[in-house]
Each structure stands twice: as C-alpha cells, then as structure tokens.
C-alpha cells in the first residue's frame, strides 16, 4: 500500500536527500537501465519480482475492522441482556437499527462513489449503539429513521469514517429525541421487574405493558431512589441497552484490557461523576442522590465505555483525554442535578466531542527533549 | 530486577530465532568486489587508483581531503577492473571501484601503533580515520569525528550500543558473544581517546548469552565498565533513546548526544577500532546477518566489504522462490533491494528476505484518530497531524509540531490500524519543510 501513496517524484527527492549528502555526482536513478558492459550480468537474475517500498516492512496486527468488530463483540453482553430483559421487542430494535445503518452506508457509498465501506464494521457498530440507547417501546420506523440519520448526517456528510466530529450514534439519537420527544421517554419496565407480564411481540399481544419511569426520572421528578441490585442487573426502566450495568462493565473492561478503548476516558468520566456528585451528596444527603446511584443509573456506563471512547471523536493525546473525560463528567452532573432533563449523557458527550479538535491542538505533547531546550534559551 | 528503558515505543515480533545461534562464518573471498566511493555520511572520496592497477588487501584506494569523510580500502587483492556506476544498496547507482581477485592475498597494513595507552590522542584519531571506520550500526557517521568533540563540550560518559533493537538482526549479538574481548578493547581505546571514565554497555535482555559473556569478560579483564541490561523495546538502539534508557538524560531538540556529555558507539564499530589500533587492519570486512523466512539457511557471515549480495545468498543456500521483499537493515528502517548484485557496504548490518506470509499488502483506511501513533512515538510527536500537514503542505505547522525531531524509526506506521504510511509521509514532510525554508530564505535575501 505504501508505494502507491508517494509519488515517484517524492520518493526520488527523498532518496537524494537521505543518501547522498554532499556528493553531487551521486544521483538517484532507480529506473536506470543496466550499463551494457556490466560484468556482473551473469549474476543477475531478473526473473524474480520483489517489492520495493520504503520502510517499515513490518506491520502490527491491529486494523480498523479489527477494532470495530472488537467493539461490537464487547457490546454483545449488553445486547443479550437487553433481549433477556425486554424480550423480542429489543431484538427487533437491534436488528432494524443495524440493518438500516448498513443499508444507509451502502447507499451513501454508491452515491458518493467512495467505494464500499460497509464491511469495515463501523456502520454495524453505529446501528448497534443507537439501538441500545432507545426505549423498548420505540416504533420500528423511528428506529430505522434514526439509524439512517446517524449514518448520513452523523458520518457520511463529513466525508465518511474518521472525518466526523460527533459520535454518529448520538447524532441519530439526538435527532430522534428532537423528533419524538414523547415516544423516546416512554419507558416499559422489563419483563422480569416483578409485574410478571411479558411483553411479547411475536404473539403481538401486548400483555400488561407496564409503563414506568427510569430511576433517574423517579429521582429527579418524584424524589424516589432505586436500590443498587436492580441497577446492576437491569430490572429497571430505561433504554434497552443501558439498564444492566454489569453487562456493560463486562464488555467495557474487555475493551480496556484489549486497549481498544482508552482506559483514561471511562475512568475520568465516571470518576468525575462519582467525585462531583459524591461531594454534593456529602454536603446534603437529603437533597442530592448518592454517588453510586449516579454512576450506575441512566446511560452513563454505556456512554462512558462505548460512546465517549469512540476513537474518531475522542482526543488523541493523553492530556486531552483527561480533560475530555473530566469535562463530560462535570457536564453530566450539572445537567442531571440542575438541568431540566433527567439524563444528560448524550449531551455531555456531544458537547465534549465538539471540543475535541481544539483539545487535540491545545494538548500537543512536548516532544522529546523540548523541555530542556526551553530551559536553556 | 527492574530493567531500565525509555518511554513509549513498541514491541514488534523479533524473529531473531532464525539466526541467533548461528556462529559467525567467514565467507570465502569473493571473486569481485564493488566498493562505493561513498559509504559514509560526509564528503565523497576521490579514487586514488585507476583501471588496471594492482591493489593489495587493505590498500587505500579512495580518500578525501575533507575532515568529515572516511577513506575506502581495497578489500581483496587483485586488479582494478573499472570505476563505474553500479547499483548501490541505498537504491541508486553510485560510482564504485570494481576489483577482481587475482593471486594470493597480500595485506597492506596501517602504520603500527606500539602501545595505544601511551600514544597521543591525535595519533589514535588519525589511525581511526585512516582505517576508514564509520558507525557500523547503520548510521555510517565517521567515527573519528564522533570521537573528537569540540573543546567546549565536556564528555563524561561513553555508551556502547549493543541493543540491536531491529527485528531479525543478530550480527551484533553474535559479535558480542564471539569477540567480546576485542569489543571491550575497542571500547577502552575509544574511552581513552575521549578521556572519559564512565563506560556503559547497553544490551537488550533478549540476548542473555551476550549479556552474560560481556559481563563475565568485563569482570575478568578488570574493565571499569557497567553492563546495563535493557528491557526489550523498539527503537532502543536509536542514540537518543539509548541515552535516555541508560542515563535518563534527554538530548534536546536539534542537539547531539555530545551536548549532554555522552558519546555512543556501536559494538561493531568498537570491534573495528580494536582491529585498526592493535592489529593495524583497516576496515575491509564486517559481520552481516542473512536471515528471514525467505532464506534457506539463515547465517551470520563475516564478509569483505563490496561483496555482492548474490554471493552472500549463495552461501546461505539461496533465497526461496516465493520471496516477497528483500531489504538491507532491519524491517523497521531498512531499504528494499531491487538488485541482488548490490554490494555490502560499511553500513550493512543485515540482509533480510521475507516471503509473503510475513508482510502482507494492506488496504489503507482513513485515520480514525485512535491515537496509537501518538502513544507510540518515542519522540513524543503527533504523527497523524504531521502526515496530515504534509499532505496539506502546511509547512509552518510542520515546524511547530517538531517534524525535524522525528528519527524515522517507523513505529507510528507499524502501529497504525488504518495502515497509513505515516513515517513515509513524514519523510516527505521534512523535505517539504526544508524546501519551504530555503525558498523563504531566498525571498528574504
Ligand atoms: S513520528 Fe518519527 S519518531 Fe515518531 S514514531 Fe513516527 S517515525 Fe518514529
Ligand atoms: S495510528 Fe493511524 S489511525 Fe490511529 S491516530 Fe495515528 S494515523 Fe490515525
């Protein structure tokens, strides 16, 4: 691949500078014909083709599709848990979102003539993430629309993979929130939550659909807390993929261990929320929720491990990453406690996404030996 | 024990098992040698012989009056066939002196030095220059220049570079195991010239035999040197990284190791210095590793300079039919070869032939800003931005992001999951920046 990128002219220039300092008569002539009286012609075997390319000639094993599919695999525990909790409806939502995202990407590829990029896995991932942030009762057409918006306006209009500023799945989700404000905040309690009623789509009998609020909604508007155990396992109202903190943690830790996700992001994001809300709780335990509840409820776990860590929309420098995570944490607590909404994960991530280009610029690492240089001058 | 190392860097597969227990073999004298007039950094040499001249092994055949330069010596006894342009392993055609072997081997030695401990420093430096010794690790900077820092620099430490961090290569490893005494002697001579007391030998701990051997001989011969085992990490062999690993000193931007009081030399260079000073032998041979899964019998060979690669491959049972790439040096920084008749030069530390199984053709994806390159770059640069700025021709930004600091180690391109040729772009960027500066200087003038 490497040799296609550099033009031969550039390569020649490079060779000239690199190999012949101070010797004007040594000119790079890679293509020069062999002189006729070369006595070594008997040694020369031209029947073997080898590749001529600039170094390095070795390559690490990581690749973009590998990263994408690893994230998808890490999302599986959360996806399976969503099906366990919310039944076939969750499964349909997941499938529709993934399928719509892939179709949208394919269509964009065709229209924009970019070459097919569906197989790199990023569209699947966007669809999956979007689905996991939708409530179980969300209409199928809306899900599909959201996935299309996520791909088209969240990614492809910027120029495809790697060029977008905001997380595509969250763009889709923000669009749905603006278009269907009621539908997206109608929560069904999971089948296992104790009411005993299964929400069954296959028999199309919506048996005893129990609508209920999310723990955050309960906390914010009615001042009712939720116990930790249901928060961990997911027997609560909420989006299909965010309710079970344990399922998300399993996948999230896998990502961190495999270094697909930068560990600094979940740590700084969740850590900031914990510390900030913990400080408020210590000041007045009656008025503010306790910090464990804050980090386990809502979409924080999913957001911190899978959305904020999206490589394209997070900073590349270690320092930038810390600022990014802390910024999101502060933003989230402010929205949840003083803002008008019960949940703020989406907005906190999108807001900090917007700052990433600036963070990358401001936090350029000092290059090796730079400090001494400044001291000396 | 905690091993010292530098920050960042990476761990490529090292593939040293191909040749690391092959003892150094001496290749029979080649029939023809091709000696480039320039095998070093600095001024090119002028030939001192002409077509038809008889030369003896070790005879001076090309020299330059310039200080930063290293002379060339005939590496076999024979007749000068011609002085013409031939293929150079660095990917161009360069003027070389072609010698054909004839008759018995006769040596022409340098001026003998009786006892180096009592010989003036200038005399030793002159001998090293006359022997044509350059940095044999691949940098090929003339050693006598390195050993003669300007008077305003105080040198307090000497580091012997036995790191050999490039995958595949084992020449230095074998040399340390088999020729430890000469290497230590060479190091002592260089330290004597520099008048430094503290000597360190940096070796990565994937060479336990070399570490043990050097350690043992240092103690037995009573040298005041310290063998420093280092944690395996690429690119530890780069001077700046090695100095940080061993002494935790950072060489400032655009400065040289001597600015922090350190001189670094390779083990192969130390070996050559010892041979020149104590045996009066000029540099006419070196150890080179022939390896890779494309070679039938990987070997470490002691060869005469100027031997065509073809002869080397013949000695190793030739290359396999599905060879995909052949490069001189390691896979991270080596140059691909397109002609097997290019000769061994002073800077050739190894020739690696790989088949398609190890190096694949890869599709390039857009940068996903994963930050892997930033996390890996040992010089703490941002390769993704540097390559972007190069493509956009933003020369001011290139400079403020410190592009000239890049040591072209290739780590960034190695880790990039999007397979972007980052270091390749950075090389272009350096040239663009230089051109831009030259243009600006012209405008201002
Ligand atoms: S930018 Fe230069 S120094 Fe940094 S990893 Fe890439 S090649 Fe090495
Ligand atoms: S390693 Fe490659 S994909 Fe990752 S940030 Fe650097 S250039 Fe971009």
């Amino acid at each position: 691949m490497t040799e296609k990128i550099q033009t031969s002219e550039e390569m020649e220039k490079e060779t000239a500078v690199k190999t012949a300092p101070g010797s004007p008569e040594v000119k790079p002539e890679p293509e020069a014909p062999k002189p006729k009286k070369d006595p070594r012609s008997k040694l020369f075997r031209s029947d073997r083709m080898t590749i001529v390319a600039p170094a390095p000639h070795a390559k690490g094993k990581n690749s973009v599709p590998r990263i994408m599919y690893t994230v998808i695999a890490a999302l599986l525990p959360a996806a399976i848990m969503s099906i366990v909790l919310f039944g076939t409806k969750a499964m349909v939502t997941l499938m529709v979102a993934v399928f719509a995202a892939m179709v949208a990407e394919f269509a964009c590829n065709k229209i924009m003539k970019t070459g097919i990029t569906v197989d790199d896995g990023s569209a699947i991932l966007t669809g999956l993430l979007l689905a996991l942030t939708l409530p179980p009762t969300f209409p199928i057409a809306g899900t599909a629309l959201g996935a299309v918006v996520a791909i088209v306006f969240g990614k492809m209009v910027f120029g495809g993979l790697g060029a977008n500023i905001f997380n595509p799945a969250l763009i889709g989700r923000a669009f749905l929130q603006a278009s269907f404000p009621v539908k997206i905040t109608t929560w069904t309690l999971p089948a296992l939550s104790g009411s005993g009623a299964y929400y069954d789509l296959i028999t199309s009998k919506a048996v005893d659909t129990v609508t209920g609020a999310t723990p955050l909604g309960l906390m914010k508007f009615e001042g009712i807390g939720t116990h930790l155990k249901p928060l961990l396992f997911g027997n609560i109202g909420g989006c299909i993929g965010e309710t079970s903190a344990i399922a998300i943690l399993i996948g999230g830790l896998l990502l961190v261990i495999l270094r697909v996700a930068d560990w600094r992001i979940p740590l700084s994001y969740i850590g900031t929320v914990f510390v900030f809300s913990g400080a408020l709780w210590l000041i007045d335990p009656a008025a503010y929720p306790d910090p464990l509840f804050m980090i386990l409820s809502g979409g924080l776990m999913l957001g911190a491990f899978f959305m904020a860590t999206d490589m394209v929309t997070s900073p590349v420098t270690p320092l930038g990453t810390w600022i990014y995570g802390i910024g999101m944490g502060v933003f989230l607590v402010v929205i949840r406690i003083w803002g008008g909404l019960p949940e703020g994960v989406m907005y906190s991530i999108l807001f900090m996404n917007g700052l990433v280009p600036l963070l990358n610029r401001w936090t350029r690492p000092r290059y090796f030996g730079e400090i001494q240089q400044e001291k000396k001058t | 024990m905690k091993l010292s190392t530098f920050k960042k860097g990476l761990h490529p597969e090292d593939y040293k098992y191909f040749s690391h227990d092959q003892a150094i073999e001496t290749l029979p004298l080649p029939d023809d040698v091709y000696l480039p007039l320039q095998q070093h950094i600095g001024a090119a040499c002028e030939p001192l012989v002409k077509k038809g001249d008889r030369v003896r092994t070790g005879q001076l055949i090309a020299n330059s009056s310039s200080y930063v330069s290293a002379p060339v010596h005939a590496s076999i006894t024979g007749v000068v066939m011609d002085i013409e342009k031939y293929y150079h392993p660095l990917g161009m055609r360069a003027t070389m002196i072609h010698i054909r072997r004839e008759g018995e081997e006769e040596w022409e030695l340098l001026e003998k030095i009786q006892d180096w401990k009592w010989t003036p420093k200038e005399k030793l430096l002159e001998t090293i220059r006359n022997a044509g010794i350059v940095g044999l690790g691949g940098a090929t900077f003339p050693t006598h220049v390195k050993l003669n820092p300007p008077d305003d620099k105080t040198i307090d430490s000497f580091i012997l570079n036995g790191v050999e961090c490039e995958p595949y290569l084992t020449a230095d490893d074998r040399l340390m195991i088999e020729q430890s005494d000469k290497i230590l002697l060479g190091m002592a001579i260089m330290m004597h010239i520099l008048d430094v007391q503290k000597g360190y030998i940096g070796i990565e701990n994937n060479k336990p035999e070399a570490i043990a051997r050097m350690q043992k001989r240092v103690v037995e011969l009573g040298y005041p040197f310290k063998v420093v085992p280092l944690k395996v990490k690429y690119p530890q062999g780069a001077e700046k990284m090695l100095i940080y690993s061993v002494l935790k000193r950072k060489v400032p931007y655009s400065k040289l190791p001597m600015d922090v009081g350190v001189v670094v030399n390779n083990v192969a260079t130390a070996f050559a210095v010892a041979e020149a000073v104590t045996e009066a032998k000029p540099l006419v041979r070196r150890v080179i590793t022939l390896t890779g899964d494309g070679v039938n019998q990987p070997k470490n060979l002691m060869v005469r300079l100027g031997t065509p690669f073809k002869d080397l491959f013949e000695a190793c049972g030739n290359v396999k039919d599905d060879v995909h790439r052949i490069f001189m040096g390691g896979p991270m920084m080596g140059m691909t070869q397109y002609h097997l008749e290019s000769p061994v030069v002073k800077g050739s530390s190894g020739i690696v032939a790989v088949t398609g199984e190890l190096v694949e053709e890869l599709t390039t994806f857009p940068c996903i800003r994963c930050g892997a390159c930033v996390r890996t770059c040992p010089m703490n640069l941002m390769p993704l931005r540097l390559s972007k700025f190069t493509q956009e021709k933003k020369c001011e930004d290139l400079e403020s992001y410190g592009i000239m600091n890049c040591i072209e180690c290739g780590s960034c391109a190695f880790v990039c999951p999007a397979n972007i040729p980052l270091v390749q772009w950075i090389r272009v960027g350096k040239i663009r920046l230089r051109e831009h500066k030259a243009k600006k200087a012209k405008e201002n003038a």
Side-chain angles (χ1 to χ4, degrees), chain B residues 373 376-379 381 383 386 405-413 423 426:
Chain B
C373 50
T376 305
C377 177
M379 298 305 288
L381 302 170
L386 294 176
N405 239 343
C406 169
I407 54 171
E408 299 184 18
C409 65
S411 308
C412 45
V423 55
I426 291 170

Side-chain angles (χ1 to χ4, degrees), chain A residues 1 6 10 14 17 23 25 34 37 40 48 51 53 57 59-60 63-64 162 311-312 366-368, chain B residues 34 38 85-86 319 321 324-325 331 334 336 341 359 362 369 379 405 414 416-417 427-428 432 434:
Chain A
M1 84 293 174
Q6 276 174 308
E10 284 161 350
E14 175 195 355
V17 172
S23 68
E25 87 274 26
K34 240 155 48 81
K37 49 181 176 172
R40 284 174 294 172
R48 178 170 292 137
I51 286 186
H57 313 295
K59 191 77 187 65
S63 72
V64 170
M311 291 169 169
V312 177
R366 278 170 186 278
Y367 39 78
F368 189 89
Chain B
Y34 303 84
Q38 180 154 33
K85 290 205 164 188
Y86 292 108
V319 289
D321 281 336
H324 184 272
R325 277 186 209 215
T336 36
E341 72 260 44
V359 183
L362 301 154
R369 279 175 264 158
M379 298 305 288
N405 239 343
F414 182 91
C416 178
R427 286 192 205 117
V428 174
R432 288 219 172 122
R434 246 181 246 132

Side-chain angles (χ1 to χ4, degrees), chain A residues 1-3 5-6 10 13-15 17-19 21-23 25-30 32-35 37-40 43-45 48-65 67 120 161-164 262 264 311-312 314 316-317 360-361 364-369 371-373 376, chain B residues 34 38 42 44 84-87 90 92-93 98 244 250-253 310 319-321 323-325 327 331-334 336-339 341 359 361-362 364-371 374-375 378-382 385 400-402 405 408 410 413-414 416-419 421 423-425 427-428 431-432 434-435:
Chain A
M1 84 293 174
T2 48
E3 55 271 45
I5 303 276
Q6 276 174 308
E10 284 161 350
K13 264 195 249 160
E14 175 195 355
T15 321
V17 172
K18 260 191 68 117
T19 58
S23 68
E25 87 274 26
V26 182
K27 289 256 161 54
E29 303 169 30
K34 240 155 48 81
K37 49 181 176 172
D38 190 334
R40 284 174 294 172
L43 295 175
F44 184 55
R45 268 173 64 185
R48 178 170 292 137
M49 302 282 277
T50 56
I51 286 186
V52 176
H57 313 295
K59 191 77 187 65
K61 291 199 181 65
N62 217 353
S63 72
V64 170
I67 290 173
D120 66 17
L161 178 67
N164 47 309
D262 192 337
R264 296 176 186 89
M311 291 169 169
V312 177
S314 60
V316 293
T317 63
N360 277 342
R361 193 163 303 225
R364 173 177 71 75
R366 278 170 186 278
Y367 39 78
F368 189 89
I371 301 164
Q372 271 101 332
Q373 186 200 10
K376 267 189 186 162
Chain B
Y34 303 84
Q38 180 154 33
E84 290 253 8
K85 290 205 164 188
Y86 292 108
Y87 297 104
L90 293 184
M92 61 204 170
R93 285 174 358 105
H98 172 198
Y244 186 80
K250 284 187 181 177
V251 180
Y253 175 47
K310 179 80 181 137
V319 289
K320 291 182 187 155
D321 281 336
V323 159
H324 184 272
R325 277 186 209 215
F327 42 86
M332 300 299 288
M333 295 178 81
T336 36
Q337 300 300 315
Y338 54 98
H339 277 162
E341 72 260 44
V359 183
E361 286 296 293
L362 301 154
T364 305
F365 292 90
C367 170
I368 54 165
R369 279 175 264 158
C370 65
V374 182
R375 283 194 295 271
M379 298 305 288
N380 245 345
L381 302 170
M382 294 177 79
R385 308 219 73 170
S400 63
Y401 276 77
N405 239 343
E408 299 184 18
F414 182 91
C416 178
N419 305 326
V423 55
Q424 292 88 330
W425 273 117
R427 286 192 205 117
V428 174
I431 299 159
R432 288 219 172 122
R434 246 181 246 132
E435 283 170 353

Side-chain angles (χ1 to χ4, degrees), chain A residues 59-269:
Chain A
K59 191 77 187 65
K61 291 199 181 65
N62 217 353
S63 72
V64 170
R66 189 175 150 133
I67 290 173
M68 295 296 169
Y69 288 113
T70 311
V71 181
I72 292 169
L75 273 174
L76 286 181
I80 292 169
M81 204 61 194
S82 75
I83 296 171
V84 171
L85 290 171
F86 296 101
T88 38
K89 173 75 191 168
M91 195 158 81
V92 171
T93 306
L94 290 170
M95 278 168 18
V96 166
V98 169
F99 185 70
M102 288 172 74
V103 169
E105 173 123 347
F106 185 77
C108 286
N109 286 158
K110 282 283 171 223
I111 294 164
M112 296 161 69
K113 299 198 172 64
T114 51
I116 303 303
T117 56
V118 182
D119 57 347
D120 66 17
S122 73
I124 303 175
L125 180 58
T126 302
L128 196 55
L129 276 176
L130 175 71
L132 292 177
T133 59
L134 294 176
T137 47
F138 203 70
I140 287 173
T143 309
L145 183 63
V148 170
V149 169
I151 292 292
V152 175
F153 293 97
K155 185 168 89 172
M156 297 313 277
V157 289
F158 292 97
L161 178 67
N164 47 309
I165 299 168
F166 299 103
N167 189 323
L170 288 179
I171 292 277
R173 156 90 203 200
F175 166 80
L176 293 180
Q177 179 127 6
S179 326
F180 307 93
V182 178
K183 283 249 157 54
I184 211 160
T185 46
T186 306
W187 314 102
T188 318
L189 289 181
L192 304 177
S193 74
S195 69
Y198 271 86
Y199 184 79
D200 200 333
L201 196 97
I202 291 175
T203 55
S204 62
K205 269 189 264 162
V207 258
D208 291 342
T209 305
V210 184
T211 52
T214 65
L216 275 172
L218 287 174
M219 169 59 77
K220 180 151 191 119
F221 301 121
E222 290 159 50
I224 303 168
T226 308
H227 289 296
L228 287 182
K229 202 174 148 225
L231 284 175
L232 281 175
F233 290 99
N235 295 343
I236 44 172
C239 303
I240 61 172
E242 7 177 272
T243 54
S244 170
I246 285 205
I248 296 166
L249 265 177
I250 293 172
L253 290 180
L254 182 79
L255 282 193
V256 170
I257 289 165
L258 292 176
R259 296 181 179 234
V260 172
D262 192 337
W263 56 273
R264 296 176 186 89
I265 296 176
L267 182 69
S268 59
Y269 190 2

Side-chain angles (χ1 to χ4, degrees), chain B residues 49-65:
Chain B
V49 289
K50 55 183 191 311
K51 196 172 163 174
D53 282 2
R54 268 197 70 82
V55 292
R56 296 190 293 163
T57 310
Q59 184 181 339
L60 189 66
I61 53 173
N63 205 348
S64 154
S65 54

Side-chain angles (χ1 to χ4, degrees), chain B residues 19 24 164 168-176 267 286-289 300 349-350:
Chain B
S19 56
I24 299 173
E164 205 165 48
Y168 291 103
L169 306 186
T170 54
D172 290 354
D173 185 9
R174 288 314 305 182
L175 200 63
M176 284 190 281
V267 290
R286 68 158 300 145
V287 180
I288 180 166
T289 308
N300 297 296
S349 46

